[in-house]
Amino acid sequence: MRNQEKQNMIVEFKDVIKKYGQGEGEQLANDHVSFTINEGEFVVILGQSGAGKSTVLNMLGGMDVPTSGTVEVAGEMVSSMNDRQLSKYRADMVGFIFQFYNLLPSLTACENVALVKNIVKNAKDPVEMLKAVGLEQHKNKFPAQMSGGEQQRVSIARALAKDPKIILGDEPTGALDSETGIIVLELLQKLCWEQHKTVILVTHNADIAKCADKVIRMKNGKVREIRLNENPASVREVEW
Amino acid sequence: MLFRKMLREMRDNLGQFISIFILAMLAVMLFAAMKASNVSAYRRQAEMYQLTNMADGWIYGEGFNEEALEKIRNLKEVKDAQRRMHVTANAKEHDQAQLEVYLMDEAIVSKPFYVSGAEFDLSKENAIWMSESFAKAWDLKVGDSFTFTYNGMEITKEIAGLIVAPEYQYMKADKDLDVVLKNICVIYMAYREFPARDYVKSLIEKGDLTLEMAAEHSQYVREKQEALEKFGISRESLTKEQLLSLVDEIPEDKLRQALPYVEIPFTTDVENVKSLEQEISDALGGDYAVLCDRNDVAGIKVMADELAQHDQFAVTFPVVFIAIALLVIMTSMNRMISQQRTQIGTLRALGMRRRTIIVHYLSYSFLVSLLGALVGLWIGTYLLGEFIAQVFRAWYFIPGWTVEMDGSFILVILMIVAACTGATYLSCRKVMDVRPAESLRPAPPKAGKRILFERLPFWNGFGFNVQYNLRDISRGKLRAVMGVLGTAAGMMLMVAAFSSLTTIRNASDWTFEKLQNFKTQIDFDGDVTVERAQELRDQLGGELVQTAAVEVAVKKNAKSTERKSTILIVTEGRNLFRLTDEKQNLTELSPGTIAITRKLAEAFDLKVGDTVYWHLYEKNEWYEAKIGLINRNPSMQGLTMLREDYEKMGANYLPTVLYSGKVDLWADLKGAKGVLAVHDNADLRESFDVMMQMIYLVLGVYLIFAMVLPIVVLYNSGNLSFHERLKEFATLKVLGFQTGAIRKLLSIQNLWLSILGVILGAPFGTKLLQFMFDSNGDSMDYQVTAGAFEYLVSGAFVLIISVLVGFLFQKKIRRLDMVETLKGIE
């Protein structure tokens, strides 16, 4: 019964509306979205393309701000932060994992992870982080010399090196084959279960939802369902 | 539809297209600004030459009779020829202005260029034609009477017309350091209008003409003298009064032999006029002093040098600028096409023809660069070019000189447009060669690889900023080269501009504190005698100096092509007119030797101990002298010798100037016999500084471009770097990098490139300046000086620009849309 183990709320989305464009071209990406996430939860935001899930993730990551409503993370009002505060928030609070990894091609795996030393004071040892994701032997390789799965694991190592409170993933397995995807998901689940990190993933893959503590299903910019998984499956148990 | 797409995309990428537009505009503008006035000057000059039947060669001698003229005319290669007398007079009522008076009885060669009043007509009585510039300066009108003095004799004539003298495209009075229109004038008049009888009488009065001298030149006088001798009157027993009464009996035309024709200007189709020397010498039996071509005539040569300098500028600077502009344009277009990759893929997937797509993308750069080039052409020609022409029209006289274009303008525009369009084509082809399915996806970022810097033992000691930027430079080499070359060119121009101030200040100190160790310069008029000059020297104290036009060669009677026209200075060695060696140290000339200036010595490959030969311009008698000193003078090339040596050779010593250590002499000397003008050394220095304003003008342009270049190039390099690394910066931003930190990341690379550019460009600054001063004519020998200060100021200037350019990206980075940028990254 994992849900009983954690109590503290870390994220609160309250009546968030996000609009893009103006006049006739106005698009409503998020329509009165509200939900909460507790510390240490493994959350999957599920929905089809255009459901508004990435918009939620971007606002959570401090890369975008709502048109109205509030986004509160760990007691801080992210929705009313200025540019400087948002940068600090992203540096201290969030680790981001992208679908296409976003490694700097001119830096080696180790250097990509070591990059965070320039951002946070107490960054973790990059070699240790690569070891944690099983890539110690690839530390001197450039991104172009690694497979997609390896690059995504470097990306996770980079996110972890900051020791963030929340790890956000935007379709982190979207560009990977199923076996590599499983390895990446396993890694993320392990982070949540063993290190009590809050992991929030955005995906359209309903199978991943089976591994989550909480599933937020979105459609047409609205939250259609928030479901708690009493007994989330381990990644290896799910049939992919 | 595609046209609409192009317009909208131009609107969306306005900054980029504006930068290409500006660069194309600047490159053509710079070329046009320098060239347009030159094209016009050459064309109007050619037109003037045709209308005036401008001479190609000039023969100077002590006197040419009709027979001599006929012999020249009969030479196969000579088309037209005529005789002229030339005297230098002055206008007492017009501030002692210097008048170059030409007397002739026919107008065939080098006729004056008609401006207003009566056409030049030698049959018109009591008439003179004078320089329009002088008439304007003194508000003289056609029909006014004008009085001038020659050899103490006043001559008054009516101004029949205003003209421009084709041989005096540049003219300044001997007493001036710079062009002062009120002080110099060319006058043309009929020989018969010259009062020869009065003139001969004035010569006799002054003792400058004796019967013996007259007999030497005139058959008529010789006959008269023989007749007198029959009556028992010897030439020695003839008194001055008897001689004067004899003059009254001599017909006017015979008297004119006392004022012989000393010049034969001629025209020829032979390009190398001096190759005719043997034929001319044979025709005249060697009885002439100098054969000159247009390069030897100061009034033409100075103008030609000036135009040649502009030609050099019109090529040198635009070439540097165009090269950098092309580099910027090429890299920008390359980036733009790369950005359009998916759109190109879509168009191809839709089935659009390859050619249609290529033409569509070529039209972007073609239109923008053509538009920029045309605007640059207009501004460069009609605004800047006209401004330059206007400035130079104050110094040079070529009727109708304005701005015009020639084929080279089209060539430069084609070059810019072709290079710009060509760069687009190459980029476009690269994308077109990718399979449509592949080009539908964005291009993967360039793969990282080991770089040379990583072999450095201290590579691991570098921080993230350094390692990241070094790798980025390795990825974008062309961009880095552009940044370095752009700042190097900027630094070069900046050093040139700043050190020119030091160089000119140095030339001014050198001239007025070392070489000219006097307080006052007293110019003598043409009537002064040695006795009178010495009297003034004894009265005021100081040193007499004679300057004379001479020809120099390394052998006696050298061919004209082996001679150089220059100046001889004869000093008394009293330390008021001094000499400096090649390092600007004061030095002295040993008696029995001659000093030769550095550039002249280099031209003849002469050194101390060698022998040099020279003759006075108007005399055919050659002298030899041993070189005792190679001296250096910033604004004059020539020979210097001591009066005692000059007189020992038997040459006729006649000082032209007195240098005195006293001040405020004008009040005492105004109107004094033999004195033409009095200048304080301080005034001379002021004139010198005014003369330098022309150089400041060019340097002002340098400074502007020196500032524009690094701004444009560094902004562009930063912009390219920014866009190439956009996704990386977005990632860094997502990771929590502050805007300032990303800007620093971007700026640090620009700063490195700038530092490299500064180091690379610095040594060329003084080279460029030396080239500029050297191209200013043979007489200039400025020593370009640049100290640590000039380099530091220039370097600091470029680096500050580099840092400021970095701040231009602050806003872009702050507004960077992470979500949008990172969408679909692969």
Side-chain angles (χ1 to χ4, degrees):
Chain A
M1 298 298 283
R2 268 187 47 74
N3 281 323
Q4 288 165 358
E5 293 168 17
K6 45 201 178 333
Q7 301 298 323
N8 300 334
M9 184 179 73
I10 189 163
V11 173
E12 186 178 18
F13 247 64
K14 209 176 195 177
D15 210 19
V16 169
I17 296 175
K18 178 68 189 177
K19 290 176 183 169
Y20 291 109
Q22 282 179 330
E24 284 182 16
E26 189 180 273
Q27 284 185 338
L28 192 60
N30 281 175
D31 186 6
H32 298 280
V33 173
S34 298
F35 61 82
T36 60
I37 293 169
N38 291 332
E39 205 172 347
E41 268 184 337
F42 189 104
V43 180
V44 167
I45 302 175
L46 196 66
Q48 296 304 311
S49 179
K53 54 190 191 302
S54 289
T55 308
V56 167
L57 200 72
N58 291 334
M59 285 189 276
L60 265 177
M63 294 198 285
D64 210 344
V65 286
T67 310
S68 70
T70 58
V71 178
E72 195 179 333
V73 178
E76 291 183 53
M77 199 57 79
V78 181
S79 49
S80 53
M81 283 179 179
N82 62 24
D83 186 58
R84 195 170 182 80
Q85 289 165 328
L86 281 173
S87 291
K88 192 166 172 6
Y89 164 76
R90 289 195 297 270
D92 297 340
M93 203 69 81
V94 186
F96 222 104
I97 302 160
F98 303 91
Q99 182 179 4
F100 294 112
Y101 339 123
N102 284 12
L103 297 178
L104 302 193
S106 58
L107 299 184
T108 61
C110 189
E111 287 163 351
N112 260 293
V113 180
L115 186 63
V116 296
K117 284 184 175 174
N118 291 60
I119 306 165
V120 292
K121 278 182 187 159
N122 301 316
K124 293 191 172 174
D125 180 45
V127 181
E128 284 301 313
M129 289 300 101
L130 284 173
K131 205 172 172 181
V133 296
L135 286 176
E136 194 193 2
Q137 70 279 21
H138 296 299
K139 65 178 181 182
N140 291 324
K141 281 188 180 170
F142 284 99
Q145 296 165 325
M146 290 187 281
S147 69
E150 286 166 343
Q151 287 189 55
Q152 192 60 296
R153 280 191 280 160
V154 176
S155 164
I156 294 170
R158 183 175 67 183
L160 290 177
K162 290 200 291 180
D163 196 18
K165 281 202 162 70
I166 305 172
I167 291 172
L168 301 173
D170 190 358
E171 303 274 13
T173 57
L176 304 174
D177 60 67
S178 59
E179 187 49 37
T180 320
I182 289 167
I183 296 169
V184 168
L185 280 175
E186 229 178 352
L187 194 61
L188 292 171
Q189 197 175 47
K190 205 170 135 193
L191 286 171
C192 183
W193 288 5
E194 292 176 10
Q195 296 182 32
H196 305 292
K197 298 284 180 198
T198 308
V199 176
I200 305 168
L201 302 185
V202 155
T203 183
H204 63 275
N205 186 345
D207 290 336
I208 298 177
K210 292 172 188 165
C211 310
D213 295 314
K214 184 183 275 179
V215 179
I216 301 169
R217 205 163 60 78
M218 293 187 72
K219 195 176 179 186
N220 296 332
K222 290 185 178 177
V223 175
R224 296 291 180 192
E225 183 193 9
I226 298 177
R227 181 165 49 86
L228 291 178
N229 246 347
E230 290 297 319
N231 290 303
S234 87
V235 173
R236 287 284 168 190
E237 288 168 9
V238 178
E239 195 176 322
W240 299 95
Chain B
M1 201 56 73
L2 283 178
F3 185 69
R4 254 192 242 172
K5 172 180 175 289
M6 182 183 76
L7 291 182
R8 284 191 190 129
E9 275 166 5
M10 281 186 179
R11 186 193 59 199
D12 295 343
N13 295 291
L14 204 58
Q16 192 179 329
F17 283 107
I18 284 180
S19 93
I20 293 176
F21 173 87
I22 287 176
L23 281 163
M25 181 185 80
L26 285 177
V28 177
M29 192 171 87
L30 191 62
F31 169 80
M34 292 285 183
K35 190 80 183 168
S37 64
N38 253 32
V39 171
S40 175
Y42 283 127
R43 284 191 186 156
R44 295 311 119 213
Q45 193 184 48
E47 191 182 65
M48 175 168 72
Y49 285 176
Q50 200 194 351
L51 284 169
T52 58
N53 198 22
M54 174 70 160
D56 299 298
W58 288 260
I59 308 164
Y60 295 97
E62 292 176 37
F64 298 114
N65 54 24
E66 239 174 272
E67 192 190 340
L69 175 65
E70 274 315 303
K71 281 178 180 165
I72 297 300
R73 278 180 174 158
N74 289 337
L75 290 176
K76 201 174 76 193
E77 310 287 3
V78 170
K79 284 165 71 187
D80 290 319
Q82 74 163 83
R83 291 181 301 165
R84 287 194 315 201
M85 176 61 197
H86 170 212
V87 296
T88 301
N90 64 75
K92 284 212 165 109
E93 292 166 17
H94 296 90
D95 213 7
Q96 295 280 8
Q98 180 179 325
L99 311 172
E100 301 298 338
V101 183
Y102 285 88
L103 308 165
M104 59 199 80
D105 55 11
E106 56 186 353
I108 300 170
V109 179
S110 285
K111 296 177 284 186
F113 181 92
Y114 167 79
V115 178
S116 62
E119 292 271 4
F120 185 55
D121 175 10
L122 289 168
S123 66
K124 198 170 164 70
E125 290 195 355
N126 201 36
I128 56 166
W129 283 259
M130 70 159 54
S131 300
E132 184 203 19
S133 55
F134 182 80
K136 265 190 183 167
W138 284 102
D139 199 23
L140 292 167
K141 303 270 182 306
V142 171
D144 288 355
S145 70
F146 181 74
T147 302
F148 58 96
T149 310
Y150 177 64
N151 223 26
M153 182 180 62
E154 284 202 347
I155 303 165
T156 303
K157 299 283 171 194
E158 188 188 308
I159 303 169
L162 303 181
I163 51 96
V164 169
E167 293 159 29
Y168 288 86
Q169 291 158 42
Y170 172 82
M171 56 178 180
K172 73 171 181 69
D174 294 342
K175 67 177 179 181
D176 294 328
L177 271 169
D178 193 16
V179 178
V180 181
L181 299 180
K182 277 191 157 187
N183 289 348
I184 181 77
C185 176
V186 182
I187 286 178
Y188 289 78
M189 62 188 279
Y191 199 161
R192 65 176 153 67
E193 290 295 322
F194 190 81
R197 193 175 306 279
D198 294 344
Y199 173 64
V200 172
K201 281 183 174 176
S202 76
L203 290 178
I204 295 169
E205 289 279 8
K206 287 204 293 183
D208 288 348
L209 185 70
T210 60
L211 186 62
E212 197 174 358
M213 285 157 72
E216 253 181 55
H217 289 97
S218 166
Q219 175 65 25
Y220 180 86
V221 174
R222 276 198 296 278
E223 284 166 11
K224 285 283 171 194
Q225 187 194 335
E226 281 161 16
L228 286 170
E229 278 170 1
K230 281 179 192 162
F231 291 101
I233 304 169
S234 70
R235 66 169 85 158
E236 291 80 19
S237 63
L238 206 68
T239 62
K240 198 185 267 184
E241 285 68 33
Q242 284 171 318
L243 197 57
L244 284 170
S245 61
L246 182 68
V247 169
D248 285 332
E249 292 171 22
I250 303 175
E252 188 92 8
D253 62 317
K254 304 290 178 196
L255 282 172
R256 280 194 205 118
Q257 289 171 5
L259 198 69
Y261 288 107
V262 292
E263 296 178 11
I264 299 181
F266 63 93
T267 57
T268 174
D269 285 334
V270 175
E271 200 148 307
N272 181 5
V273 174
K274 289 187 177 174
S275 68
L276 300 175
E277 181 154 32
Q278 195 56 51
E279 291 167 72
I280 289 169
S281 179
D282 291 347
L284 297 175
D287 191 13
Y288 72 102
V290 186
L291 168 66
C292 293
D293 60 17
R294 287 180 184 174
N295 271 331
D296 300 319
V297 178
I300 303 170
K301 174 86 164 86
V302 176
M303 177 78 227
D305 282 349
E306 185 73 56
L307 293 179
Q309 189 187 36
H310 292 198
D311 270 344
Q312 274 176 331
F313 287 179
V315 174
T316 320
F317 300 124
V319 159
V320 173
F321 201 80
I322 287 169
I324 290 163
L326 287 182
L327 212 55
V328 173
I329 290 170
M330 279 162 76
T331 42
S332 299
M333 284 316 297
N334 200 1
R335 186 182 75 73
M336 205 208 103
I337 296 297
S338 308
Q339 271 182 334
Q340 292 270 325
R341 178 185 157 104
T342 48
Q343 292 199 37
I344 293 174
T346 311
L347 293 176
R348 291 177 71 193
L350 288 171
M352 192 172 280
R353 281 166 59 203
R354 184 187 168 94
R355 176 188 286 207
T356 313
I357 297 172
I358 289 183
V359 168
H360 168 65
Y361 281 101
L362 291 189
S363 60
Y364 284 57
S365 53
F366 177 79
L367 279 179
V368 173
S369 58
L370 183 68
L371 202 64
L374 291 177
V375 172
L377 179 74
W378 188 82
I379 296 176
T381 306
Y382 296 109
L383 295 183
L384 292 180
E386 178 53 36
F387 173 68
I388 289 173
Q390 197 182 337
V391 168
F392 284 98
R393 280 199 296 264
W395 274 276
Y396 300 101
F397 306 97
I398 296 181
W401 183 8
T402 166
V403 283
E404 287 169 63
M405 298 180 205
D406 67 4
S408 66
F409 286 65
I410 296 169
L411 199 72
V412 168
I413 291 175
L414 284 180
M415 216 172 81
I416 302 268
V417 174
C420 196
T421 317
T424 316
Y425 174 73
L426 291 178
S427 313
C428 211
R429 211 183 57 179
K430 209 162 68 186
V431 178
M432 296 296 281
D433 287 344
V434 177
R435 280 199 309 278
E438 213 174 303
S439 61
L440 273 169
R441 291 193 295 272
K446 275 186 191 172
K449 56 180 180 191
R450 301 265 160 229
I451 58 166
L452 207 63
F453 297 110
E454 289 181 50
R455 295 189 188 162
L456 294 172
F458 42 87
W459 167 257
N460 289 327
F462 288 146
F464 164 69
N465 261 8
V466 176
Q467 290 186 345
Y468 179 59
N469 273 305
L470 284 176
R471 290 223 175 93
D472 187 64
I473 287 173
S474 299
R475 279 197 300 174
K477 292 184 191 75
L478 188 65
R479 171 163 48 79
V481 167
M482 175 187 78
V484 172
L485 290 185
T487 38
M491 178 69 181
M492 176 178 79
L493 293 173
M494 201 82 80
V495 170
F498 280 120
S499 32
S500 68
L501 300 176
T502 325
T503 303
I504 291 169
R505 208 178 305 125
N506 168 268
S508 184
D509 292 347
W510 183 6
T511 306
F512 296 100
E513 285 170 20
K514 283 186 179 170
L515 299 171
Q516 302 188 357
N517 185 32
F518 54 81
K519 295 278 191 290
T520 307
Q521 172 183 323
I522 299 136
D523 294 332
F524 296 136
D525 63 19
D527 299 335
V528 82
T529 59
V530 183
E531 292 73 27
R532 173 63 184 149
Q534 284 175 169
E535 186 190 329
L536 283 166
R537 181 196 63 197
D538 295 342
Q539 183 191 329
L540 303 168
E543 175 173 2
L544 291 171
V545 168
Q546 175 182 348
T547 54
V550 293
E551 276 196 316
V552 183
V554 285
K555 63 180 184 190
K556 220 180 232 181
N557 295 316
K559 280 190 208 160
S560 291
T561 47
E562 295 166 348
R563 306 174 191 178
K564 272 196 180 291
S565 300
T566 187
I567 304 278
L568 169 72
I569 297 172
V570 184
T571 78
E572 292 185 309
R574 295 186 181 204
N575 208 29
L576 287 167
F577 180 86
R578 301 194 289 193
L579 298 173
T580 50
D581 63 16
E582 291 180 74
K583 290 179 179 161
Q584 298 188 22
N585 297 318
L586 283 168
T587 183
E588 278 183 13
L589 179 61
S590 312
T593 64
I594 201 163
I596 183 166
T597 45
R598 192 186 70 97
K599 266 179 133 176
L600 194 59
E602 271 178 13
F604 283 119
D605 196 21
L606 288 168
K607 51 190 184 303
V608 172
D610 289 349
T611 304
V612 67
Y613 296 85
W614 59 272
H615 80 98
L616 289 168
Y617 224 68
E618 65 278 8
K619 304 265 184 198
N620 198 18
E621 191 175 353
W622 286 80
Y623 302 102
E624 71 170 68
K626 195 176 148 202
I627 297 171
L629 173 69
I630 308 277
N631 68 315
R632 192 167 182 178
N633 188 318
S635 43
M636 191 212 72
Q637 296 298 299
L639 305 172
T640 308
M641 68 189 304
L642 294 168
R643 178 181 172 179
E644 56 190 82
D645 294 326
Y646 187 73
E647 284 178 327
K648 259 188 229 164
M649 291 187 318
N652 183 28
Y653 179 72
L654 185 63
T656 48
V657 67
L658 168 65
Y659 293 128
S660 169
K662 292 189 176 157
V663 288
D664 299 330
L665 298 173
W666 180 232
D668 297 337
L669 291 174
K670 196 173 180 181
K673 194 180 166 211
V675 174
L676 176 66
V678 176
H679 307 284
D680 286 344
N681 204 22
D683 294 343
L684 293 173
R685 189 168 191 157
E686 206 181 306
S687 301
F688 177 90
D689 294 339
V690 168
M691 198 163 72
M692 286 300 135
Q693 278 176 1
M694 204 140 78
I695 290 174
Y696 287 138
L697 178 84
V698 177
L699 295 169
V701 175
Y702 270 30
L703 210 58
I704 291 168
F705 280 100
M707 285 190 279
V708 168
L709 257 184
I711 291 175
V712 171
V713 167
L714 289 177
Y715 178 76
N716 214 279
S717 151
N719 202 25
L720 288 172
S721 177
F722 177 76
H723 281 97
E724 276 173 20
R725 295 192 278 174
L726 201 60
K727 290 190 165 86
E728 296 177 23
F729 289 153
T731 306
L732 292 175
K733 226 178 155 188
V734 171
L735 286 173
F737 267 76
Q738 293 285 355
T739 304
I742 298 174
R743 181 189 50 72
K744 206 172 136 195
L745 205 61
L746 194 68
S747 300
I748 201 161
Q749 193 178 118
N750 257 357
L751 199 64
W752 290 350
L753 300 180
S754 313
I755 290 171
L756 279 178
V758 162
I759 294 168
L760 188 73
F764 292 99
T766 47
K767 299 250 181 312
L768 173 74
L769 194 62
Q770 192 70 62
F771 160 78
M772 192 187 132
F773 279 120
D774 287 347
S775 65
N776 219 346
D778 287 343
S779 62
M780 301 270 262
D781 188 14
Y782 281 51
Q783 195 166 17
V784 168
T785 37
F789 176 77
E790 284 75 20
Y791 289 113
L792 284 177
V793 168
S794 309
F797 214 87
V798 173
L799 296 182
I800 287 170
I801 288 174
S802 169
V803 172
L804 290 180
V805 164
F807 279 97
L808 294 175
F809 293 99
Q810 180 97 0
K811 206 167 148 190
K812 277 191 174 187
I813 296 167
R814 191 179 301 128
R815 291 189 173 175
L816 178 65
D817 186 339
M818 290 167 276
V819 178
E820 206 52 43
T821 312
L822 295 173
K823 250 185 203 171
I825 192 166
E826 195 169 2

